Amino acid sequence: RYGDSAGGFCYQESAQLAAATRNRFVRWTTSGDAVELVEESLDVNLLNNAVRLRIQGCPFLPGGVHLCEVQSHLVVLLITGQTVHRLLLPHPARMYRSELITESQMQSVFTDIGKINFRDPSNYYVIPSVPGLASNSVASAAWLSSEGEALFALPSASGGIFVLKLPPHDAPGTVSVVELKQSSVMQRFLTGWMPTAIRGDCGPSDLPISLSVHCLDHDAFLFALCQDHKLRMWSYKDQMCLMVADLLEFMPVSRDLRLAAGTGHRLRLAFSQSLGLYLGVYMHAPKRGQFCVFQLVSTESNRYSLDHISSLFSSQETLVDFALTSAEIWALWHNEENQTVVKYINFEQNVAGQWNQVFVQPLPEEEVTVRHDQDPRETYLEYLFMPGQFTNAAIQKALQIFSQGTERHMDLTWDELKKEVTLAVESEFQGSVTEYECSPEEFWQLQVEFWSKFYACCLQYQEALSRPLALHLNPYTSMVCLLKKGSLSFLVPCSLVDHLYLLSNEHLLTEDDAAIFDDLEMSRDVVCLVQCLRLIGESISLEMAFIMEMACSRLQPPEKAAEQILEDLIANDTENVMEDIHSKLQEIRNPIHAIGVLIREMDYETDVDMERAHHLNMRMNLTQLYGSGTAVDVVCWGVCKIATIRFLICRDLLILQQLLLRLGDPMVLGGGQLFQSQQDLLHRTSPLLLSYYLIRWASQCLASDVPVDTLESNLQHLSVLELADTTALTPHKLVSGPQTIVELFFQEVARKHIISRLFLQPNTSLAETSLNWPHLITAIVADFLPLLWPSNPGFLFPECLMGSCQYTQLQEYIRLLQPWCHVNMGSCCFMMGRCYLVMGEGHKALDCFCQAASEVGREEFLDRLIQPEEGEVVSTPRLQYYNKVLRLLDMVGLPELVIQLATLAIMESADDWRSQATLRTCIFKHHLDLGHNSEAYVALTQNPDPSRQLDCLRQLVVVLCERSQLQDLVEFPYVNLHNEVVGIIESHARAVDLMTHNYYELLYAFHIYRHNYRKAGTVMFEYGMRLGREVRTLRGLQKQGNCFLAAINCLRLIRPEYAWIVQPASGAVYERPGASPKRSHDGECTAVPSTCQIEILELEDLERECVLARIRLTLVQHDLSAAAVAGNSTPEETVALLVRAGLFDTAVTLCQTFKLPLTPIFEGLTFKCIKLQLGGEAAQAEAWDWLAANQLSALVTTKESSATDEAWRLLSSYLERYPSQNSLYHRCVINKLLAHGIPLPNWLINSYKRVDAAELLRLYLNYDLLEEAVDLVLEYVDAVLGKGHQYFGIEFPLSATAPMVWLPYTAIDQLLQALRESTTNHYNVMLYQKLHDKMEDYQQKVSVATRDRLYRR
């Protein structure tokens, strides 16, 4: 098995701004027979970007992964101990056109790797046993020829190199093996005789230890650094060695070194179009190493030689890897303490051979300090899950071991992992506690024990995964990465101040390099000052550091904390650190100036607000530049590192300033500097320290996952405030690790601002198309810090937190900020108010909003908040602010707070009646919503705008009616609004459904309360009329009766001469709001009839209407089906309905009330008698119902009477009870009977004979009843003559002394004529004769009586 290895590959166009492969690279790690390939991008999040390949039983050679780019493919060449492989992947430029890349994620080149046939014989080959792979060398090289062949160079077992060639993937061919080996003669000619020591166990002297290839158009130069310390250069095409160079000539050499095999040597190439090919060689010797840099030089006759550029020495022992550019060497070591050391040097400019140190991220602390006032679980979880401490993989592996591999924890999110860790440790802990009871101290100790055990496990895996394997250097963008076993680190440039502070004393700048500023003296002062700060920093214990941390967290003055730390330092100074600091201070010529320079270097405060982001250009493909999770992580971690270091610098600077104040020596203070300037510097350092503390806190503060409903409600709030466009609303849920709020801010907001500033500003030096990582990352961080800087006028960071619903974090941010930062105070108050609002603490929110109001017009965020909408009337800024906040509170649903704030705003708007009207309306609305009716009424009366006042009044009426709070509505005084209220209630009464709303009753109560009885009566009468017209139901008629009674009562309360009302208009005349116009048959709108005539109704009229209403009700109670027509029927129609229903008594009452004839009643009753006489038993049964409804005169009888008898009896009683002029009712009854062919009952004939026998005769004639007519005439003649005269109502019969009598001669003549004409009927002839004789007899008697009478005269 070979050792683990790693490497990287960068696309040729990775520095081109417009390329699809911009900022993309592939990294790989090998371990045994497995290789992991990961494609990284700094611009977009790549999907399916990691793949793990395993070639069973074939361990990978260290560095045995090579990637080559051709036009349409990315070719992966793999070399194991037994085989070589070729994989073809699609090139990203072929997958995507660069100008279309606007999404935040896209597919990686490894997306379709599963489709590759790994067993395709044309793409792999087993290494032949002859010449065989050398056992004691792991060197390898691979490349693609210009024809597309895959070539693998490997060390041969017999010495030298052999090259395997796979034919092009798209052309048939066979695999060939070529061995590059010099003939023995040639060998001796070129190199002389080799010492025999090397030829022993180490194998051949020309065995390559490190191989590199440089491709030309149609050839490849193969460079082999062999174990005989010689560098050989081969031409693959010519298969000949072009050059051999003995590298021992370039290093101080001993005999031992010359005889030892050079197994630790390394070779790297760097090619530059302008400078040619550079070779970097690391020559390994015990306890030391040396780098040599050469340039390949060719003469005219194709002879090659090396031009020695530089030799650089290093004392570190174990070189892990190094990288070469045409100007620099970057080297990675492991030192004796197993720590990673990275250094770089510019070999052309650095004459002194001084390496520059790279400050590597240290491993997490070996032990976690848990104070007795802390909960061990919380403390350890905070350490374990603090961003940047442990990787997800390390914690997952530790969890698996800790829970003894019972279950696999794969792909857990950060929160899920936290829960699993807590469960695992707690369950282990619970399982081990055997005692039923233990003291709190023992419990605490046990907790610490188990948590520290798990922490140690995590630390072990983190250390293993953090082991560096290689450096990856991108020659196109100058980006350097550190490839570790389980992760990837980026190297970013360090600012000068941080560099000086971090640099250990032995590396501190030499005299020549100290010119960091133009003024050499000033440079020396600053260097000495930083050395003093380092001395202080190294002396500060954990307890002392904690004092400052707590002071910042608890909002105590840092100056006091610095003073306390200084006292502790002086009290515990066992190593005379104070003396060293004092002597260093003596070297500083002008401490005040030096401190001022240092503060200026660290201060990011800007006077002008950074311009808001331009729209990023799509064609230039800037929308996604540095937008991937990886880039965000790097930038934000860089900011966190700067903030952490500078917090320490500021802390130490504060302590040093306190020391200077304490010393107070004019010599030290630089020639009698004033105490005041020292105090000024102290007060400048303190906000600087707090600013960095705040940025560091934000860089480590995790963002919360936000539920969708919270996001949506937040979006609604922002749309009310019209801020919705400033922030994104979908915080991305990261699986690999948590997202901090600074990362969230950079990803959603800051990145666009920074990129637009860098690339879209005129005269910017970075607008070239080639991307340079060190320049860009420095510029991005330098532009990002001012956006985070608390005392800058820009307010984007808190705004982003608000937009992303990070309310808890925003509250803590403002808490840490408020006591000392006096910029954007109003905006912070507003944000705090928003947080309280979301947390449900409305009253606190209101206080904050009110505090913020004083800053409106002075701060950019608040100014943006009060931008007026189109068409909005512009009032004062503060009123606009109040208006926005009122809308927000209204939306959240806090009416009490709306009222409070609106009341406050009214004081501001004393001169602006429009605003006053708006605010009063707002107060009215919310009082009304809350049920504060009196307060709502007061707000209404105070409204200066009549139209709004009327709107409010209308709303008050409707709402109180709906809530049935009618007493309040009636009892309000309505000063100067009386008519308006009446008008509103009337219009509502006339416009809405009568049975669901009781506006008429309300209006009645309203008038009664004010003793206006006539209007009350009018209202109830109108209500009754409309009920009859529109609500034709039993309930409607009941209500109608009550309405008329109420109206009558009202008029009875008035003096008689005023007891009248105006007849209300009919329904068509009302102008009902919203009613559609009535149209005629041809579609034209019909004119509303305008009646000028006014009808006056007096008490009697109302009483009559009341009777009618009561009778209608009686009718409907008897027969519900009549309701539909009875409701609005006239008295005549009602009589007809009553008759139909059989309610004859009621009908008589109605006719008498309205002075109507009773004819319809008699006709109806007669018809019912006829029906009963002709009907069957069913009709008889039915008749009892209506008969019972009429009062029959009591009759004592022994015989059971039928319904028919009772009906006839009722008719008879009516004829007796209601006499009529000219016996009209008898006539109509007989008419009806005869019309239906019913024989007249005797009682009727007798009754009518007594009243009008002549009319009866005429009726008989009309209906052609000749026999009955003859009988009647005969009886009548007898009665006149004195026989039964009383039956015909004749008081005195024919006599000479009695008054005159007469007969209906015309009718008798008509009868005789009729009998004469029907001579065919024998019976009629007899009747005629009989009647004729009788009349003759009568004539004689009349003439006798007449003569007697005349005689008596």
Side-chain angles (χ1 to χ4, degrees):
R1 179 188 165 100
Y2 304 111
D4 294 352
S5 70
F9 160 79
C10 33
Y11 295 98
Q12 287 170 8
E13 292 188 338
S14 56
Q16 299 304 308
L17 198 56
T21 52
R22 181 188 69 196
N23 283 329
R24 278 170 79 164
F25 60 97
V26 179
R27 61 184 173 91
W28 50 265
T29 49
T30 65
S31 179
D33 59 0
V35 60
E36 276 189 37
L37 294 142
V38 182
E39 188 181 19
E40 299 279 2
S41 168
L42 297 177
D43 294 350
V44 288
N45 293 318
L46 297 173
L47 305 173
N48 310 306
N49 66 322
V51 63
R52 182 183 169 89
L53 299 175
R54 195 158 174 222
I55 301 172
Q56 197 86 36
C58 300
F60 280 88
L61 289 184
V65 180
H66 304 268
L67 288 94
C68 308
E69 222 177 333
V70 289
Q71 193 172 10
S72 59
H73 288 98
L74 180 67
V75 183
V76 184
L77 304 175
L78 304 173
I79 306 171
T80 72
Q82 281 83 31
T83 54
V84 294
H85 300 261
R86 170 173 58 193
L87 308 178
L88 274 90
L89 302 168
H91 195 278
R94 207 182 81 183
M95 293 168 73
Y96 290 93
R97 282 175 54 212
S98 61
E99 62 267 24
L100 299 179
I101 302 171
T102 53
E103 297 298 318
S104 60
Q105 54 189 33
M106 59 190 283
Q107 296 293 344
S108 159
V109 289
F110 298 125
T111 297
D112 295 329
I113 198 164
K115 297 176 183 174
I116 293 174
N117 178 11
F118 292 99
R119 299 191 182 279
D120 180 0
S122 65
N123 283 327
Y124 81 95
Y125 192 70
V126 178
I127 296 171
S129 53
V130 178
L133 190 62
S135 57
N136 50 355
S137 172
V138 292
S140 70
W143 71 98
L144 287 180
S145 71
S146 53
E147 285 78 34
E149 300 149 335
L151 298 137
F152 301 87
L154 297 161
S156 167
S158 58
I161 307 161
F162 70 94
V163 180
L164 279 168
K165 181 174 76 174
L166 296 184
H169 70 91
D170 51 0
T174 55
V175 177
S176 63
V177 181
V178 173
E179 197 168 0
L180 305 178
K181 192 170 174 66
Q182 292 166 253
S183 64
S184 56
V185 179
M186 194 63 185
Q187 172 97 10
R188 227 173 287 127
F189 171 73
L190 282 169
T191 61
W193 293 99
M194 281 300 295
T196 52
I198 293 180
R199 268 187 262 118
D201 304 330
C202 300
S205 61
D206 60 348
L207 181 70
I209 299 303
S210 184
L211 282 169
S212 285
V213 66
H214 175 60
C215 295
L216 303 171
D217 285 345
H218 296 289
D219 196 3
F221 287 163
L222 205 54
F223 294 90
L225 182 54
C226 304
Q227 65 178 2
D228 59 0
H229 317 292
K230 289 186 169 59
L231 178 67
R232 293 176 171 81
M233 173 180 155
W234 294 85
S235 162
Y236 170 70
K237 187 176 78 173
D238 300 334
Q239 296 181 16
M240 62 183 285
C241 182
L242 302 178
M243 180 191 73
V244 177
D246 186 358
L247 299 178
L248 293 179
E249 293 173 11
F250 302 102
M251 60 189 293
V253 77
S254 65
R255 178 176 166 76
D256 294 344
L257 180 61
R258 187 174 288 280
L259 294 176
T263 52
H265 301 336
R266 301 285 173 90
L267 169 65
R268 297 284 181 271
L269 305 181
F271 179 71
S272 155
Q273 290 288 352
S274 54
L275 300 171
L277 186 67
Y278 281 79
L279 287 82
V281 177
Y282 173 73
M283 300 297 289
H284 173 71
K287 305 290 182 196
R288 62 193 173 89
Q290 178 184 336
F291 290 94
C292 294
V293 183
F294 303 97
Q295 191 171 12
L296 186 67
V297 182
S298 66
T299 58
E300 290 172 9
S301 55
N302 264 2
R303 287 187 169 276
Y304 292 90
S305 63
L306 295 179
D307 187 0
H308 180 240
I309 304 289
S310 179
S311 282
L312 305 157
F313 297 92
S314 66
S315 56
Q316 268 80 9
E317 191 172 8
T318 316
L319 180 80
V320 178
D321 190 23
F322 82 98
L324 177 75
T325 73
S326 52
E328 292 172 331
I329 290 178
W330 293 76
L332 165 66
W333 288 274
H334 245 151
N335 67 7
E336 287 160 1
E337 288 85 42
N338 204 22
Q339 290 173 328
T340 303
V341 178
V342 181
K343 294 190 176 185
Y344 71 97
I345 191 165
N346 188 313
F347 53 78
E348 288 194 322
Q349 294 170 2
N350 197 315
V351 185
Q354 184 80 44
W355 287 81
N356 295 297
Q357 194 172 352
V358 173
F359 306 106
V360 180
Q361 170 75 11
L363 284 167
E365 298 289 331
E366 288 200 11
E367 285 183 7
V368 176
T369 311
V370 186
R371 300 194 311 278
H372 276 280
D373 61 338
Q374 289 179 309
D375 175 27
R377 178 173 68 182
E378 279 186 23
T379 311
Y380 272 99
L381 282 173
E382 191 182 334
Y383 261 86
L384 283 166
F385 290 93
M386 187 183 284
Q389 289 278 51
F390 290 88
T391 60
N392 199 314
I395 298 175
Q396 285 195 10
K397 287 199 171 181
L399 182 59
Q400 213 166 331
I401 294 297
F402 196 78
S403 52
Q404 287 148 4
T406 49
E407 51 187 294
R408 286 180 69 77
H409 302 281
M410 296 298 286
D411 290 336
L412 297 176
T413 65
W414 208 239
D415 285 338
E416 289 164 349
L417 191 57
K418 205 172 189 175
K419 283 178 194 160
E420 289 293 336
V421 166
T422 311
L423 280 171
V425 179
E426 290 292 311
S427 59
E428 284 282 320
F429 167 66
Q430 301 286 347
S432 68
V433 176
T434 51
E435 296 293 323
Y436 187 67
E437 284 184 7
C438 62
S439 67
E441 289 77 21
E442 288 172 329
F443 185 80
W444 185 87
Q445 197 58 52
L446 275 169
Q447 268 193 309
V448 170
E449 193 181 306
F450 274 91
W451 277 101
S452 63
K453 183 178 160 192
F454 180 74
Y455 184 81
C457 201
C458 289
L459 200 61
Q460 192 180 339
Y461 278 106
Q462 184 65 26
E463 198 171 326
L465 290 170
S466 299
R467 186 161 64 83
L469 297 177
L471 283 168
H472 167 57
L473 190 149
N474 183 330
Y476 310 109
T477 62
S478 307
M479 180 177 73
V480 184
C481 299
L482 190 56
L483 304 176
K484 302 177 182 176
K485 171 110 175 112
S487 59
L488 164 74
S489 290
F490 291 81
L491 305 191
V492 296
C494 181
S495 74
L496 179 67
V497 177
D498 306 353
H499 180 75
L500 288 174
Y501 184 76
L502 293 170
L503 210 56
S504 54
N505 280 337
E506 67 266 21
H507 286 103
L508 246 173
L509 298 168
T510 54
E511 200 73 22
D512 298 332
D513 291 339
I516 49 178
F517 300 105
D518 295 338
D519 182 351
L520 189 60
E521 232 173 69
M522 173 48 50
S523 302
R524 288 194 185 117
D525 278 2
V526 171
V527 170
C528 288
L529 178 65
V530 174
Q531 282 179 306
C532 289
L533 298 181
R534 272 188 66 84
L535 285 168
I536 292 169
E538 284 163 2
S539 314
I540 288 175
S541 65
L542 278 172
E543 288 76 17
M544 292 178 195
F546 187 66
I547 292 170
M548 185 60 84
E549 293 282 342
M550 291 317 290
C552 294
S553 174
R554 291 173 179 170
L555 313 178
Q556 294 157 352
E559 298 93 331
K560 292 275 190 334
E563 206 172 335
Q564 191 185 334
I565 294 169
L566 179 64
E567 284 167 10
D568 290 356
L569 278 174
I570 292 168
N572 302 321
D573 185 16
T574 51
E575 296 172 5
N576 297 330
V577 176
M578 286 299 142
E579 276 184 36
D580 296 346
I581 294 169
H582 200 274
S583 62
K584 262 289 176 217
L585 281 172
Q586 299 289 351
E587 294 175 27
I588 304 175
R589 294 166 183 77
N590 191 339
I592 300 288
H593 194 194
I595 291 169
V597 167
L598 196 61
I599 288 171
R600 263 200 314 280
E601 281 290 313
M602 293 192 292
D603 196 350
Y604 280 92
E605 192 167 323
T606 54
D607 296 332
V608 291
D609 179 21
M610 289 180 75
E611 284 181 47
R612 300 189 75 74
H614 298 262
H615 180 65
L616 290 177
N617 191 330
M618 301 279 274
R619 287 191 64 75
M620 279 285 277
N621 198 6
L622 292 175
T623 44
Q624 300 305 332
L625 187 62
Y626 297 121
S628 74
T630 309
V632 171
D633 203 35
V634 173
V635 172
C636 297
W637 192 240
V639 166
C640 183
K641 291 293 287 180
I642 289 173
T644 308
I645 295 162
R646 300 223 175 144
F647 172 74
L648 298 177
I649 294 173
C650 293
R651 179 197 69 187
D652 300 345
L653 190 57
L654 268 179
I655 296 165
L656 184 69
Q657 285 171 303
Q658 292 288 6
L659 177 63
L660 286 171
L661 278 174
R662 186 177 283 240
L663 290 170
D665 185 348
M667 287 306 290
V668 173
L669 286 174
Q673 279 279 357
L674 289 173
F675 177 76
Q676 182 60 43
S677 63
Q678 177 67 2
Q679 284 284 1
D680 290 346
L681 283 177
L682 198 65
H683 294 312
R684 276 178 66 196
T685 311
S686 180
L688 208 59
L689 171 108
L690 290 165
S691 296
Y692 281 117
Y693 175 80
L694 191 61
I695 293 171
R696 188 192 71 180
W697 167 83
S699 299
Q700 293 173 343
C701 174
L702 297 181
S704 318
D705 279 338
V706 185
V708 174
D709 55 343
T710 310
L711 278 174
E712 285 174 355
S713 74
N714 184 50
L715 183 57
Q716 289 172 348
H717 295 182
L718 292 177
S719 66
V720 166
L721 299 172
E722 288 154 34
L723 293 174
D725 60 330
T726 56
T727 49
L729 295 151
T730 50
H732 307 292
K733 187 175 182 183
L734 296 176
V735 176
S736 58
Q739 191 178 31
T740 65
I741 54 175
V742 169
E743 287 172 350
L744 179 69
F745 173 52
F746 180 77
Q747 191 168 344
E748 303 294 357
V749 179
R751 185 183 66 82
K752 296 186 186 79
H753 282 259
I754 294 163
I755 298 299
S756 67
R757 260 177 65 82
L758 293 179
F759 287 92
L760 303 179
Q761 299 286 332
N763 309 322
T764 171
S765 60
L766 288 159
E768 66 263 11
T769 51
S770 185
L771 302 173
N772 181 287
W773 168 257
H775 290 179
L776 267 175
I777 191 71
T778 308
I780 288 169
V781 169
D783 270 2
F784 189 24
L785 275 165
L787 290 175
L788 289 168
W789 201 251
S791 54
N792 279 343
F795 200 62
L796 289 174
F797 182 45
E799 207 180 325
C800 170
L801 294 182
M802 179 180 77
S804 303
C805 306
Q806 305 297 319
Y807 301 115
T808 316
Q809 295 86 334
L810 182 54
Q811 278 179 294
E812 180 63 10
Y813 176 82
I814 294 170
R815 184 189 76 82
L816 292 170
L817 188 70
Q818 268 182 328
W820 58 272
C821 179
H822 305 298
V823 179
N824 286 320
M825 289 171 71
S827 303
C828 284
C829 281
F830 180 83
M831 289 294 184
M832 204 64 163
R834 276 275 286 114
C835 294
Y836 281 136
L837 210 54
V838 173
M839 305 290 181
E841 298 183 85
H843 289 283
K844 286 184 182 176
L846 185 63
D847 291 344
C848 290
F849 290 142
C850 293
Q851 285 174 36
S854 59
E855 299 299 318
V856 171
R858 298 183 202 165
E859 295 178 11
E860 185 266 345
F861 172 74
L862 293 176
D863 287 351
R864 224 159 13 90
L865 193 68
I866 61 168
Q867 292 276 310
E869 294 176 26
E870 278 184 40
E872 192 181 336
V873 179
V874 179
S875 52
T876 63
R878 199 174 288 194
L879 276 175
Q880 283 174 286
Y881 167 76
Y882 281 134
N883 189 26
K884 277 280 169 74
V885 177
L886 285 169
R887 281 161 66 185
L888 180 63
L889 292 172
D890 188 13
M891 183 180 196
V892 177
L894 296 169
E896 298 102 329
L897 302 186
V898 173
I899 292 163
Q900 281 183 45
L901 187 62
T903 310
L904 192 69
I906 283 171
M907 298 175 194
E908 292 276 338
S909 63
D911 307 328
D912 185 350
W913 70 270
R914 280 196 183 84
S915 299
Q916 284 251 353
T918 307
L919 292 165
R920 297 269 183 212
T921 305
C922 179
I923 291 172
F924 161 80
K925 175 185 175 296
H926 288 92
H927 270 313
L928 192 59
D929 289 347
L930 289 167
H932 304 161
N933 300 343
S934 304
E935 290 88 342
Y937 173 74
V938 170
L940 176 153
T941 56
Q942 292 172 341
N943 200 317
D945 182 350
S947 69
R948 279 179 184 260
Q949 193 177 43
L950 203 57
D951 291 342
C952 294
L953 191 59
R954 199 170 284 117
Q955 200 174 351
L956 182 75
V957 170
V958 173
V959 170
L960 292 189
C961 283
E962 283 171 355
R963 291 186 194 153
S964 302
Q965 295 174 331
L966 303 177
Q967 188 166 355
D968 283 357
L969 187 56
V970 167
E971 291 178 0
F972 288 138
Y974 301 111
V975 179
N976 300 327
L977 291 170
H978 184 276
N979 292 343
E980 285 82 353
V981 176
V982 172
I984 289 166
I985 302 176
E986 270 183 2
S987 67
H988 273 88
R990 290 168 181 168
V992 298
D993 180 30
L994 291 170
M995 297 308 280
T996 51
H997 298 84
N998 52 2
Y999 286 111
Y1000 278 108
E1001 289 167 22
L1002 167 65
L1003 200 51
Y1004 171 73
F1006 185 88
H1007 289 312
I1008 291 287
Y1009 184 74
R1010 287 160 179 74
H1011 306 296
N1012 194 339
Y1013 297 117
R1014 184 193 286 161
K1015 282 200 171 177
T1018 307
V1019 166
M1020 288 319 270
F1021 186 69
E1022 183 182 320
Y1023 187 22
M1025 278 178 60
R1026 282 194 60 204
L1027 281 166
R1029 267 200 312 273
E1030 297 169 29
V1031 187
R1032 300 187 176 188
T1033 61
L1034 178 62
R1035 187 156 165 262
L1037 289 167
Q1038 285 169 337
K1039 268 176 121 50
Q1040 186 185 39
N1042 294 338
C1043 290
F1044 289 152
L1045 282 172
I1048 290 167
N1049 282 346
C1050 288
L1051 291 190
R1052 282 184 177 153
L1053 292 169
I1054 307 172
R1055 294 216 306 265
E1057 61 267 33
Y1058 298 114
W1060 54 268
I1061 62 170
V1062 175
Q1063 165 82 45
S1066 65
V1069 176
Y1070 298 142
E1071 290 180 12
R1072 299 191 186 185
S1076 61
K1078 299 293 171 274
R1079 299 180 187 278
S1080 63
H1081 64 278
D1082 57 356
E1084 294 299 316
C1085 290
T1086 55
V1088 176
S1090 55
T1091 60
C1092 299
Q1093 196 175 355
I1094 292 173
E1095 194 178 336
I1096 301 295
L1097 298 177
E1098 294 184 340
L1099 191 57
E1100 296 76 29
D1101 302 322
L1102 261 67
E1103 285 169 342
R1104 276 205 302 277
E1105 283 293 332
C1106 187
V1107 169
L1108 179 59
R1110 206 163 54 244
I1111 286 172
R1112 284 176 189 146
L1113 179 61
T1114 309
L1115 169 65
V1116 173
Q1117 282 170 337
H1118 179 78
D1119 178 13
L1120 278 174
S1121 65
V1125 282
N1128 196 31
S1129 56
T1130 61
E1132 292 83 355
E1133 290 164 348
T1134 311
V1135 169
L1137 291 169
L1138 288 165
V1139 167
R1140 197 187 76 177
L1143 302 177
F1144 297 105
D1145 283 357
T1146 315
V1148 169
T1149 309
L1150 181 61
C1151 289
Q1152 288 170 340
T1153 306
F1154 282 90
K1155 297 183 173 55
L1156 300 174
L1158 300 181
T1159 316
I1161 299 170
F1162 283 101
E1163 282 185 352
L1165 182 52
T1166 309
F1167 185 65
K1168 281 197 179 290
C1169 290
I1170 295 166
K1171 277 176 73 180
L1172 278 173
Q1173 195 159 320
L1174 301 176
E1177 281 184 25
Q1180 294 280 332
E1182 246 177 69
W1184 286 113
D1185 290 341
W1186 62 262
L1187 282 167
N1190 297 289
Q1191 288 186 342
L1192 289 165
S1193 52
L1195 180 72
V1196 181
T1197 176
T1198 53
K1199 182 188 168 192
E1200 267 190 35
S1201 62
S1202 68
T1204 314
D1205 299 338
E1206 288 296 314
W1208 285 114
R1209 195 153 71 82
L1210 182 65
L1211 180 61
S1212 166
S1213 70
Y1214 276 5
L1215 285 169
E1216 285 173 24
R1217 206 181 307 161
Y1218 307 116
S1220 60
Q1221 194 178 2
N1222 299 331
S1223 61
L1224 178 68
Y1225 303 145
H1226 280 81
R1227 189 164 70 245
C1228 85
V1229 168
I1230 292 168
N1231 229 333
K1232 196 78 173 167
L1233 287 170
L1234 294 178
H1236 283 83
I1238 302 296
L1240 301 182
N1242 288 331
W1243 62 264
L1244 182 59
I1245 297 168
N1246 294 336
S1247 165
Y1248 198 28
K1249 275 197 296 195
R1250 196 176 293 119
V1251 177
D1252 191 351
E1255 184 59 34
L1256 179 60
L1257 176 60
R1258 281 193 286 276
L1259 284 170
Y1260 278 154
L1261 286 172
N1262 283 352
Y1263 289 98
D1264 209 20
L1265 298 172
L1266 301 177
E1267 188 181 347
E1268 287 84 347
V1270 169
D1271 291 345
L1272 179 62
V1273 172
L1274 294 175
E1275 279 181 44
Y1276 197 2
V1277 169
D1278 287 341
V1280 169
L1281 293 175
K1283 183 184 173 184
H1285 61 86
Q1286 66 274 15
Y1287 295 119
F1288 281 82
I1290 299 170
E1291 203 172 337
F1292 303 106
L1294 181 68
S1295 142
T1297 55
M1300 286 186 283
V1301 291
W1302 57 85
L1303 282 174
Y1305 287 111
T1306 310
I1308 294 169
D1309 284 347
Q1310 284 173 345
L1311 176 60
L1312 287 167
Q1313 178 63 28
L1315 289 167
R1316 196 182 300 125
E1317 285 172 359
S1318 57
T1319 51
T1320 51
N1321 188 333
H1322 175 69
Y1323 186 63
N1324 283 359
V1325 172
M1326 283 171 61
L1327 287 176
Y1328 175 80
Q1329 196 59 50
K1330 197 174 181 181
L1331 181 59
H1332 188 267
D1333 294 347
K1334 189 75 176 175
M1335 288 309 292
E1336 286 291 326
D1337 181 45
Y1338 174 70
Q1339 293 291 349
Q1340 285 172 8
K1341 286 178 179 173
V1342 168
S1343 70
V1344 171
T1346 306
R1347 277 199 306 271
D1348 289 351
R1349 191 178 188 101
L1350 291 170
Y1351 175 75
R1352 290 190 65 173
R1353 269 194 191 156

